[in-house]
Structure formats: C-alpha cells, structure tokens
Amino acid sequence: MIATGSGDGWVHCAQGHKHWGVFGAAGLLVRFRADGDPPGVDRILLQHRAAWSHHGGTWGIPGGARDRGESAPATALREAGEESTLDVGAVEIMDSYVDDHGGWTYTTVVVRAVEAPPVRVRGTESIELRWVRTDHLGGLELHPGFATTWPRVRRIGTL
Ligand SMILES: [Zn+2]
C-alpha cells in the first residue's frame, strides 16, 4: 500500500476520531450561483453517501484520501471526478480551508462552477449528487465533518 503511494487506510487523530486517509483527506465544495437566487444564497453540490460508507446516508461533499505527496486540490478534483460526472476541468479554484485535527487534516477545496447541469453518480460511494441551495441545508442530515466545516467555509468564494 505504501509503496504505491495510496493513502487508503484508517487513522486516529489527536481528537480521538477515526478518519479515512493516512496522508489526510480532501473534498471538493462546488458553488454555483443561479440567476434569481436570493442575496447571499447560492447552490453547492452535495453527495448523498452510500449506506455502506462511513457515516452512510448523510450528505457531504465528494472527496477522499490523499495519495502520498498529492496536493489537496489535486485530490479533491480527482475524487470528485471518480465519484461523479462533474466536469472537474471546468471549475475555478477559489481557496482552501484546512481543518487540522492533529495527526490528520481535512482540506476543503472551494471552487466555482459557471453552470450547474445535473450531476450523476459514478462509482459506488454515492446514492445521489444534488445541487442544494445553501438556505436549504437545514433539511438534510449532514455528514458530521461537513456540518462542522460548513460555517467556516460558507463565505469562501461567494460572489
Ligand atoms: Zn479528527
């Protein structure tokens, strides 16, 4: 596993959680603002996580384990491309936010899309991908990591 540079594997952080990704993990937060959305509101692409996955059934962002030496944006774009039909070549990187748990980090890479076509599932890690208005997140059961991170990243990359 290490020889190939794969980061697949579980680690325990200094806060006592169990996390996926021995070199940390990264996720892609894709934002899109539609004409007619209320002031301060845009849409983000959320992944309904497969039941078998860690925190299965919750809603989060596409992402996964970083490979050895892989940058967080590279991981986030690679994972989103593996897990969905999103055109990851057509998004603009705005900024990143690092959540450092001690011994493990999760980097949220915030990007903007210029359009929001329907995004379909690739692979087995998702039930559905959906554009969700940011004022409608309260109706979904969010992945605990994303629920913690969202208030810290919600202003990054807004127009
Ligand atoms: Zn942790």
Side-chain angles (χ1 to χ4, degrees), residues 11-19 99-102 104-105:
V11 294
H12 287 87
C13 74
Q15 298 177 18
H17 314 130
K18 186 177 81 167
H19 296 289
D99 193 4
D100 188 346
H101 288 214
W104 187 82
T105 60

PDB file of all heavy atoms in Angstrom, residues 11-19 99-102 104-105, ligand 1:
ATOM      1  N   VAL A  11      -6.940   6.195  10.151  1.00  0.00           N
ATOM      2  CA  VAL A  11      -6.029   6.742  11.155  1.00  0.00           C
ATOM      3  C   VAL A  11      -6.871   7.320  12.287  1.00  0.00           C
ATOM      4  O   VAL A  11      -8.047   7.658  12.102  1.00  0.00           O
ATOM      5  CB  VAL A  11      -5.116   7.847  10.590  1.00  0.00           C
ATOM      6  CG1 VAL A  11      -4.160   7.274   9.561  1.00  0.00           C
ATOM      7  CG2 VAL A  11      -5.923   8.975  10.007  1.00  0.00           C
ATOM      8  N   HIS A  12      -6.240   7.416  13.455  1.00  0.00           N
ATOM      9  CA  HIS A  12      -6.877   8.074  14.593  1.00  0.00           C
ATOM     10  C   HIS A  12      -6.209   9.426  14.801  1.00  0.00           C
ATOM     11  O   HIS A  12      -4.994   9.511  14.894  1.00  0.00           O
ATOM     12  CB  HIS A  12      -6.772   7.217  15.853  1.00  0.00           C
ATOM     13  CG  HIS A  12      -7.678   6.029  15.823  1.00  0.00           C
ATOM     14  ND1 HIS A  12      -7.323   4.821  15.255  1.00  0.00           N
ATOM     15  CD2 HIS A  12      -8.953   5.870  16.269  1.00  0.00           C
ATOM     16  CE1 HIS A  12      -8.330   3.965  15.360  1.00  0.00           C
ATOM     17  NE2 HIS A  12      -9.330   4.566  15.968  1.00  0.00           N
ATOM     18  N   CYS A  13      -6.994  10.484  14.881  1.00  0.00           N
ATOM     19  CA  CYS A  13      -6.437  11.819  15.071  1.00  0.00           C
ATOM     20  C   CYS A  13      -6.294  12.103  16.561  1.00  0.00           C
ATOM     21  O   CYS A  13      -6.747  11.332  17.409  1.00  0.00           O
ATOM     22  CB  CYS A  13      -7.336  12.870  14.406  1.00  0.00           C
ATOM     23  SG  CYS A  13      -8.867  13.195  15.317  1.00  0.00           S
ATOM     24  N   ALA A  14      -5.666  13.260  16.856  1.00  0.00           N
ATOM     25  CA  ALA A  14      -5.422  13.634  18.246  1.00  0.00           C
ATOM     26  C   ALA A  14      -6.715  13.933  18.995  1.00  0.00           C
ATOM     27  O   ALA A  14      -6.735  13.981  20.222  1.00  0.00           O
ATOM     28  CB  ALA A  14      -4.498  14.850  18.290  1.00  0.00           C
ATOM     29  N   GLN A  15      -7.813  14.142  18.245  1.00  0.00           N
ATOM     30  CA  GLN A  15      -9.096  14.415  18.893  1.00  0.00           C
ATOM     31  C   GLN A  15      -9.892  13.142  19.158  1.00  0.00           C
ATOM     32  O   GLN A  15     -11.026  13.205  19.645  1.00  0.00           O
ATOM     33  CB  GLN A  15      -9.922  15.379  18.029  1.00  0.00           C
ATOM     34  CG  GLN A  15      -9.250  16.734  17.847  1.00  0.00           C
ATOM     35  CD  GLN A  15     -10.046  17.662  16.930  1.00  0.00           C
ATOM     36  OE1 GLN A  15     -11.227  17.456  16.678  1.00  0.00           O
ATOM     37  NE2 GLN A  15      -9.389  18.692  16.415  1.00  0.00           N
ATOM     38  N   GLY A  16      -9.282  11.985  18.820  1.00  0.00           N
ATOM     39  CA  GLY A  16      -9.920  10.719  19.144  1.00  0.00           C
ATOM     40  C   GLY A  16     -10.894  10.196  18.106  1.00  0.00           C
ATOM     41  O   GLY A  16     -11.600   9.220  18.353  1.00  0.00           O
ATOM     42  N   HIS A  17     -10.932  10.846  16.928  1.00  0.00           N
ATOM     43  CA  HIS A  17     -11.796  10.327  15.865  1.00  0.00           C
ATOM     44  C   HIS A  17     -11.047   9.289  15.033  1.00  0.00           C
ATOM     45  O   HIS A  17      -9.830   9.249  15.036  1.00  0.00           O
ATOM     46  CB  HIS A  17     -12.222  11.451  14.902  1.00  0.00           C
ATOM     47  CG  HIS A  17     -12.681  12.706  15.546  1.00  0.00           C
ATOM     48  ND1 HIS A  17     -12.197  13.944  15.198  1.00  0.00           N
ATOM     49  CD2 HIS A  17     -13.592  12.922  16.523  1.00  0.00           C
ATOM     50  CE1 HIS A  17     -12.781  14.875  15.931  1.00  0.00           C
ATOM     51  NE2 HIS A  17     -13.630  14.288  16.744  1.00  0.00           N
ATOM     52  N   LYS A  18     -11.806   8.523  14.293  1.00  0.00           N
ATOM     53  CA  LYS A  18     -11.259   7.628  13.276  1.00  0.00           C
ATOM     54  C   LYS A  18     -11.536   8.251  11.910  1.00  0.00           C
ATOM     55  O   LYS A  18     -12.671   8.638  11.620  1.00  0.00           O
ATOM     56  CB  LYS A  18     -11.933   6.251  13.368  1.00  0.00           C
ATOM     57  CG  LYS A  18     -11.327   5.213  12.449  1.00  0.00           C
ATOM     58  CD  LYS A  18     -11.988   3.850  12.644  1.00  0.00           C
ATOM     59  CE  LYS A  18     -13.305   3.752  11.893  1.00  0.00           C
ATOM     60  NZ  LYS A  18     -13.813   2.361  11.797  1.00  0.00           N
ATOM     61  N   HIS A  19     -10.480   8.394  11.102  1.00  0.00           N
ATOM     62  CA  HIS A  19     -10.633   9.039   9.798  1.00  0.00           C
ATOM     63  C   HIS A  19     -10.040   8.182   8.697  1.00  0.00           C
ATOM     64  O   HIS A  19      -9.098   7.425   8.916  1.00  0.00           O
ATOM     65  CB  HIS A  19      -9.894  10.389   9.772  1.00  0.00           C
ATOM     66  CG  HIS A  19     -10.433  11.408  10.716  1.00  0.00           C
ATOM     67  ND1 HIS A  19     -11.641  12.038  10.527  1.00  0.00           N
ATOM     68  CD2 HIS A  19      -9.918  11.927  11.860  1.00  0.00           C
ATOM     69  CE1 HIS A  19     -11.843  12.895  11.519  1.00  0.00           C
ATOM     70  NE2 HIS A  19     -10.823  12.848  12.339  1.00  0.00           N
ATOM     71  N   ASP A  99      -8.824  21.890   7.988  1.00  0.00           N
ATOM     72  CA  ASP A  99      -9.270  21.535   9.330  1.00  0.00           C
ATOM     73  C   ASP A  99      -8.236  20.554   9.884  1.00  0.00           C
ATOM     74  O   ASP A  99      -8.162  19.405   9.450  1.00  0.00           O
ATOM     75  CB  ASP A  99     -10.653  20.889   9.251  1.00  0.00           C
ATOM     76  CG  ASP A  99     -11.336  20.778  10.613  1.00  0.00           C
ATOM     77  OD1 ASP A  99     -10.760  21.283  11.600  1.00  0.00           O
ATOM     78  OD2 ASP A  99     -12.420  20.195  10.690  1.00  0.00           O
ATOM     79  N   ASP A 100      -7.417  21.040  10.822  1.00  0.00           N
ATOM     80  CA  ASP A 100      -6.298  20.247  11.353  1.00  0.00           C
ATOM     81  C   ASP A 100      -6.704  19.611  12.672  1.00  0.00           C
ATOM     82  O   ASP A 100      -6.887  20.302  13.672  1.00  0.00           O
ATOM     83  CB  ASP A 100      -5.080  21.153  11.543  1.00  0.00           C
ATOM     84  CG  ASP A 100      -3.832  20.363  11.898  1.00  0.00           C
ATOM     85  OD1 ASP A 100      -3.943  19.173  12.265  1.00  0.00           O
ATOM     86  OD2 ASP A 100      -2.736  20.941  11.817  1.00  0.00           O
ATOM     87  N   HIS A 101      -6.856  18.295  12.664  1.00  0.00           N
ATOM     88  CA  HIS A 101      -7.281  17.574  13.872  1.00  0.00           C
ATOM     89  C   HIS A 101      -6.102  17.129  14.729  1.00  0.00           C
ATOM     90  O   HIS A 101      -6.294  16.557  15.787  1.00  0.00           O
ATOM     91  CB  HIS A 101      -8.092  16.333  13.484  1.00  0.00           C
ATOM     92  CG  HIS A 101      -9.463  16.630  12.966  1.00  0.00           C
ATOM     93  ND1 HIS A 101     -10.542  15.815  13.183  1.00  0.00           N
ATOM     94  CD2 HIS A 101      -9.932  17.666  12.233  1.00  0.00           C
ATOM     95  CE1 HIS A 101     -11.617  16.330  12.608  1.00  0.00           C
ATOM     96  NE2 HIS A 101     -11.265  17.441  12.016  1.00  0.00           N
ATOM     97  N   GLY A 102      -4.858  17.362  14.269  1.00  0.00           N
ATOM     98  CA  GLY A 102      -3.690  16.825  14.949  1.00  0.00           C
ATOM     99  C   GLY A 102      -3.444  15.404  14.467  1.00  0.00           C
ATOM    100  O   GLY A 102      -4.164  14.481  14.849  1.00  0.00           O
ATOM    101  N   TRP A 104      -3.958  14.434  11.515  1.00  0.00           N
ATOM    102  CA  TRP A 104      -4.831  14.219  10.355  1.00  0.00           C
ATOM    103  C   TRP A 104      -5.456  15.553   9.969  1.00  0.00           C
ATOM    104  O   TRP A 104      -5.841  16.331  10.850  1.00  0.00           O
ATOM    105  CB  TRP A 104      -5.946  13.212  10.670  1.00  0.00           C
ATOM    106  CG  TRP A 104      -6.776  12.808   9.485  1.00  0.00           C
ATOM    107  CD1 TRP A 104      -6.471  11.868   8.538  1.00  0.00           C
ATOM    108  CD2 TRP A 104      -8.053  13.336   9.107  1.00  0.00           C
ATOM    109  NE1 TRP A 104      -7.461  11.778   7.607  1.00  0.00           N
ATOM    110  CE2 TRP A 104      -8.452  12.667   7.935  1.00  0.00           C
ATOM    111  CE3 TRP A 104      -8.894  14.318   9.645  1.00  0.00           C
ATOM    112  CZ2 TRP A 104      -9.651  12.933   7.281  1.00  0.00           C
ATOM    113  CZ3 TRP A 104     -10.088  14.590   8.994  1.00  0.00           C
ATOM    114  CH2 TRP A 104     -10.465  13.899   7.832  1.00  0.00           C
ATOM    115  N   THR A 105      -5.509  15.826   8.672  1.00  0.00           N
ATOM    116  CA  THR A 105      -6.136  17.064   8.206  1.00  0.00           C
ATOM    117  C   THR A 105      -7.192  16.754   7.158  1.00  0.00           C
ATOM    118  O   THR A 105      -7.083  15.775   6.410  1.00  0.00           O
ATOM    119  CB  THR A 105      -5.119  18.028   7.566  1.00  0.00           C
ATOM    120  OG1 THR A 105      -4.509  17.388   6.434  1.00  0.00           O
ATOM    121  CG2 THR A 105      -4.045  18.452   8.566  1.00  0.00           C
TER     122      THR A 105
HETATM  123 ZN    ZN B   1     -10.415  14.058  13.978  1.00  0.00          ZN
END
